[in-house]
Amino acid sequence: MPFKPVENPKCPKCQKSVYAAEERVAGGLKWHKGCFKCGLCNKFLDSTNCTEHEGELYCKNCHARKFGPKGYGFGGGAGCLSMDTGEHLGNTALNGKPGGAQNVRAIAKAPEGQGCPRCGGCVYAAEQMLARGRGWHKECFKCAECTKRLDSVNCCEGPDKDIYCKVCYGKRFGPKGYGYGQGGGALQSDPIHNGEMMTLHTTTVNTASIKAPPGKGCPRCGGVVFAAEQVLAKGREWHRKCFKCKDCNKTLDSIIACDGPDKDVYCKTCYGKKWGPHGYGFACGSGFLQTDGLTEEDIASMRPFYNPDTTSIKAPAGEGCPRCGGRVFAAEQQLAKGTMWHKICFNCAACHRPLDSMLACDGPDKEIYCRACYGKKYGPKGFGYGHTPTLVSTGGEPTINYSEPRPSHGPKAPEGKGCSRCGYEVYAAEQMISKKSIWHKRCFNCRICHKSLDSTNLCDGPDGEIYCRGCYAKSYGPKGCGFGLGAGVLTTV
């Protein structure tokens, strides 16, 4: 079989094969690098200024001069009058028409339904205006009645598939009658349009007469509720005209409407009279006595029954309030140590003072206390720690440096989990943390001089104890000349 070379695409300008190393692409065609230039001014082109038209390349300026719109406003600058007909460029489509206005429809007709809706010609991207989802020529994009030039701000699309300015659209398709003329408040009594007499009708539909299925319409009249007149209350839809107080017929809105237990709506005043508390201080005015001739039994029978004592609703074991065992609901929930309490139960177990998240202290007996009662019951004891008048030293030495003896009773913590000095359990209210373990506040002092420590003067020793800086240097610091308590001091310790 004879060898058949691979066919390469031909350059539209020189009709020679174009290879990959020198190809330039424009308009779906491939060109030589040397042929990729404007057909009028021979300017070399690139992808930013190249325009292809019917197999020929142009720069943007030459393409606009040869194929762009002509006439007033389409010259080199805005408002410039251009008389360039393009005859010196070989453009003979105008046939010497005066004014240089190019008739696009005479150049190229578009397929049916794809061109400009007004003239039917092809619309190119440089002159495209969009309306009704179709592209229009810029010179065709004008009002169908007054031929006023339009843009995206003042263009109105008519039902006859044409475009109008706002004034002509209002005259042709807008409402007629008093108040709908060309100016606000104008009287327009001419209902004649296109030589035909237009009869104006005002139709009022009573939607309450359109009955809805049971349980789905307006609760007051039972009619179908449409979206334009819909008012919502208690998850039900009402007519706007039916959304009134049941007693005084006052028109309601979302601010003053009150949903009653009888599934009707009331204003705030009527709701208070009918369903609110009665007696001295609960009437329309403060301090006003209103009995309305009602007994306590009558008032109680009209109110919906509820049980305010939620502590009587017992919860499963371990899930309720730790104090009363009742079920805890979200509206009255208080949290402490991972358990939920009633708001009325969230008080000190000793003095019954109401607590909050700032005052509550969790005790080891799974109860809560105020800070004072917690300190009395679980805090450190001894000289200087009571709530009674204490003995003050007059020698100038603070008594806090002399801590009380270590505890000798109470629950011991598991090995490695309690206080490193006394071995007893450490609770959150008195916890101090060092690098290796936790300590009681009363045990958090230097092992040698018993000075109280904090995070600024704490030193962890290699023996698992804690020291102040001076004692740590004496015990574990470097020895010899220059390493004493002061610079340059000779120590022989």
Side-chain angles (χ1 to χ4, degrees), residues 438-450:
I438 56 175
W439 308 71
H440 289 118
K441 199 169 191 176
R442 61 178 176 268
C443 298
F444 201 67
N445 50 48
C446 178
R447 181 188 178 188
I448 297 176
C449 66
H450 302 290

PDB file of all heavy atoms in Angstrom, residues 438-450:
ATOM      1  N   ILE A 438      -1.541  17.632  91.737  1.00  0.00           N
ATOM      2  CA  ILE A 438      -2.475  18.621  92.272  1.00  0.00           C
ATOM      3  C   ILE A 438      -2.321  18.659  93.783  1.00  0.00           C
ATOM      4  O   ILE A 438      -1.908  17.684  94.424  1.00  0.00           O
ATOM      5  CB  ILE A 438      -3.929  18.277  91.885  1.00  0.00           C
ATOM      6  CG1 ILE A 438      -4.314  16.883  92.349  1.00  0.00           C
ATOM      7  CG2 ILE A 438      -4.125  18.407  90.379  1.00  0.00           C
ATOM      8  CD1 ILE A 438      -5.765  16.539  92.091  1.00  0.00           C
ATOM      9  N   TRP A 439      -2.684  19.830  94.382  1.00  0.00           N
ATOM     10  CA  TRP A 439      -2.440  20.066  95.809  1.00  0.00           C
ATOM     11  C   TRP A 439      -3.647  20.777  96.392  1.00  0.00           C
ATOM     12  O   TRP A 439      -4.396  21.452  95.706  1.00  0.00           O
ATOM     13  CB  TRP A 439      -1.198  20.938  96.012  1.00  0.00           C
ATOM     14  CG  TRP A 439       0.032  20.446  95.316  1.00  0.00           C
ATOM     15  CD1 TRP A 439       0.295  20.442  93.997  1.00  0.00           C
ATOM     16  CD2 TRP A 439       1.190  19.887  95.948  1.00  0.00           C
ATOM     17  NE1 TRP A 439       1.525  19.928  93.724  1.00  0.00           N
ATOM     18  CE2 TRP A 439       2.114  19.574  94.918  1.00  0.00           C
ATOM     19  CE3 TRP A 439       1.548  19.631  97.265  1.00  0.00           C
ATOM     20  CZ2 TRP A 439       3.352  19.008  95.183  1.00  0.00           C
ATOM     21  CZ3 TRP A 439       2.785  19.083  97.529  1.00  0.00           C
ATOM     22  CH2 TRP A 439       3.675  18.761  96.503  1.00  0.00           C
ATOM     23  N   HIS A 440      -3.817  20.610  97.734  1.00  0.00           N
ATOM     24  CA  HIS A 440      -4.741  21.474  98.458  1.00  0.00           C
ATOM     25  C   HIS A 440      -4.148  22.878  98.534  1.00  0.00           C
ATOM     26  O   HIS A 440      -2.930  23.064  98.493  1.00  0.00           O
ATOM     27  CB  HIS A 440      -4.970  20.967  99.890  1.00  0.00           C
ATOM     28  CG  HIS A 440      -5.775  19.707  99.943  1.00  0.00           C
ATOM     29  ND1 HIS A 440      -5.275  18.527 100.451  1.00  0.00           N
ATOM     30  CD2 HIS A 440      -7.050  19.439  99.566  1.00  0.00           C
ATOM     31  CE1 HIS A 440      -6.195  17.589 100.386  1.00  0.00           C
ATOM     32  NE2 HIS A 440      -7.291  18.111  99.841  1.00  0.00           N
ATOM     33  N   LYS A 441      -5.011  23.845  98.692  1.00  0.00           N
ATOM     34  CA  LYS A 441      -4.534  25.223  98.815  1.00  0.00           C
ATOM     35  C   LYS A 441      -3.691  25.376 100.088  1.00  0.00           C
ATOM     36  O   LYS A 441      -2.698  26.101 100.114  1.00  0.00           O
ATOM     37  CB  LYS A 441      -5.727  26.170  98.836  1.00  0.00           C
ATOM     38  CG  LYS A 441      -5.401  27.598  98.521  1.00  0.00           C
ATOM     39  CD  LYS A 441      -6.666  28.391  98.304  1.00  0.00           C
ATOM     40  CE  LYS A 441      -6.354  29.753  97.733  1.00  0.00           C
ATOM     41  NZ  LYS A 441      -7.589  30.520  97.429  1.00  0.00           N
ATOM     42  N   ARG A 442      -4.097  24.665 101.171  1.00  0.00           N
ATOM     43  CA  ARG A 442      -3.369  24.773 102.435  1.00  0.00           C
ATOM     44  C   ARG A 442      -2.048  24.019 102.396  1.00  0.00           C
ATOM     45  O   ARG A 442      -1.150  24.291 103.202  1.00  0.00           O
ATOM     46  CB  ARG A 442      -4.246  24.259 103.573  1.00  0.00           C
ATOM     47  CG  ARG A 442      -4.650  22.793 103.411  1.00  0.00           C
ATOM     48  CD  ARG A 442      -5.481  22.333 104.598  1.00  0.00           C
ATOM     49  NE  ARG A 442      -5.942  20.961 104.411  1.00  0.00           N
ATOM     50  CZ  ARG A 442      -7.079  20.624 103.868  1.00  0.00           C
ATOM     51  NH1 ARG A 442      -7.882  21.589 103.439  1.00  0.00           N
ATOM     52  NH2 ARG A 442      -7.439  19.357 103.748  1.00  0.00           N
ATOM     53  N   CYS A 443      -1.937  23.034 101.469  1.00  0.00           N
ATOM     54  CA  CYS A 443      -0.693  22.259 101.341  1.00  0.00           C
ATOM     55  C   CYS A 443       0.251  22.849 100.301  1.00  0.00           C
ATOM     56  O   CYS A 443       1.388  22.363 100.159  1.00  0.00           O
ATOM     57  CB  CYS A 443      -1.012  20.813 100.961  1.00  0.00           C
ATOM     58  SG  CYS A 443      -2.006  19.920 102.178  1.00  0.00           S
ATOM     59  N   PHE A 444      -0.198  23.871  99.567  1.00  0.00           N
ATOM     60  CA  PHE A 444       0.592  24.424  98.469  1.00  0.00           C
ATOM     61  C   PHE A 444       1.587  25.433  99.020  1.00  0.00           C
ATOM     62  O   PHE A 444       1.456  26.653  98.852  1.00  0.00           O
ATOM     63  CB  PHE A 444      -0.339  25.064  97.447  1.00  0.00           C
ATOM     64  CG  PHE A 444       0.257  25.227  96.067  1.00  0.00           C
ATOM     65  CD1 PHE A 444       0.558  24.124  95.295  1.00  0.00           C
ATOM     66  CD2 PHE A 444       0.538  26.475  95.550  1.00  0.00           C
ATOM     67  CE1 PHE A 444       1.086  24.255  94.028  1.00  0.00           C
ATOM     68  CE2 PHE A 444       1.077  26.618  94.282  1.00  0.00           C
ATOM     69  CZ  PHE A 444       1.350  25.506  93.523  1.00  0.00           C
ATOM     70  N   ASN A 445       2.611  24.950  99.756  1.00  0.00           N
ATOM     71  CA  ASN A 445       3.635  25.819 100.332  1.00  0.00           C
ATOM     72  C   ASN A 445       4.989  25.132 100.243  1.00  0.00           C
ATOM     73  O   ASN A 445       5.093  23.928  99.948  1.00  0.00           O
ATOM     74  CB  ASN A 445       3.294  26.190 101.778  1.00  0.00           C
ATOM     75  CG  ASN A 445       2.952  24.977 102.619  1.00  0.00           C
ATOM     76  OD1 ASN A 445       3.670  23.986 102.594  1.00  0.00           O
ATOM     77  ND2 ASN A 445       1.846  25.046 103.355  1.00  0.00           N
ATOM     78  N   CYS A 446       6.024  25.897 100.486  1.00  0.00           N
ATOM     79  CA  CYS A 446       7.390  25.381 100.373  1.00  0.00           C
ATOM     80  C   CYS A 446       7.622  24.282 101.418  1.00  0.00           C
ATOM     81  O   CYS A 446       7.212  24.395 102.581  1.00  0.00           O
ATOM     82  CB  CYS A 446       8.378  26.530 100.561  1.00  0.00           C
ATOM     83  SG  CYS A 446      10.105  26.015 100.514  1.00  0.00           S
ATOM     84  N   ARG A 447       8.283  23.245 101.015  1.00  0.00           N
ATOM     85  CA  ARG A 447       8.511  22.119 101.923  1.00  0.00           C
ATOM     86  C   ARG A 447       9.431  22.496 103.073  1.00  0.00           C
ATOM     87  O   ARG A 447       9.289  21.985 104.188  1.00  0.00           O
ATOM     88  CB  ARG A 447       9.112  20.955 101.125  1.00  0.00           C
ATOM     89  CG  ARG A 447       9.370  19.722 101.963  1.00  0.00           C
ATOM     90  CD  ARG A 447      10.127  18.681 101.187  1.00  0.00           C
ATOM     91  NE  ARG A 447      10.410  17.522 102.019  1.00  0.00           N
ATOM     92  CZ  ARG A 447      11.183  16.515 101.647  1.00  0.00           C
ATOM     93  NH1 ARG A 447      11.765  16.543 100.447  1.00  0.00           N
ATOM     94  NH2 ARG A 447      11.398  15.485 102.448  1.00  0.00           N
ATOM     95  N   ILE A 448      10.358  23.438 102.833  1.00  0.00           N
ATOM     96  CA  ILE A 448      11.373  23.765 103.833  1.00  0.00           C
ATOM     97  C   ILE A 448      10.927  24.929 104.712  1.00  0.00           C
ATOM     98  O   ILE A 448      10.848  24.815 105.931  1.00  0.00           O
ATOM     99  CB  ILE A 448      12.716  24.068 103.149  1.00  0.00           C
ATOM    100  CG1 ILE A 448      13.208  22.809 102.401  1.00  0.00           C
ATOM    101  CG2 ILE A 448      13.760  24.519 104.154  1.00  0.00           C
ATOM    102  CD1 ILE A 448      14.473  23.016 101.615  1.00  0.00           C
ATOM    103  N   CYS A 449      10.577  26.069 104.073  1.00  0.00           N
ATOM    104  CA  CYS A 449      10.245  27.263 104.867  1.00  0.00           C
ATOM    105  C   CYS A 449       8.747  27.486 105.012  1.00  0.00           C
ATOM    106  O   CYS A 449       8.336  28.440 105.670  1.00  0.00           O
ATOM    107  CB  CYS A 449      10.891  28.496 104.256  1.00  0.00           C
ATOM    108  SG  CYS A 449      10.226  28.929 102.630  1.00  0.00           S
ATOM    109  N   HIS A 450       7.924  26.639 104.402  1.00  0.00           N
ATOM    110  CA  HIS A 450       6.461  26.704 104.499  1.00  0.00           C
ATOM    111  C   HIS A 450       5.880  28.023 104.000  1.00  0.00           C
ATOM    112  O   HIS A 450       4.810  28.436 104.429  1.00  0.00           O
ATOM    113  CB  HIS A 450       5.997  26.462 105.946  1.00  0.00           C
ATOM    114  CG  HIS A 450       6.451  25.150 106.490  1.00  0.00           C
ATOM    115  ND1 HIS A 450       5.956  23.946 106.048  1.00  0.00           N
ATOM    116  CD2 HIS A 450       7.391  24.853 107.443  1.00  0.00           C
ATOM    117  CE1 HIS A 450       6.545  22.957 106.705  1.00  0.00           C
ATOM    118  NE2 HIS A 450       7.427  23.486 107.546  1.00  0.00           N
TER     119      HIS A 450
END
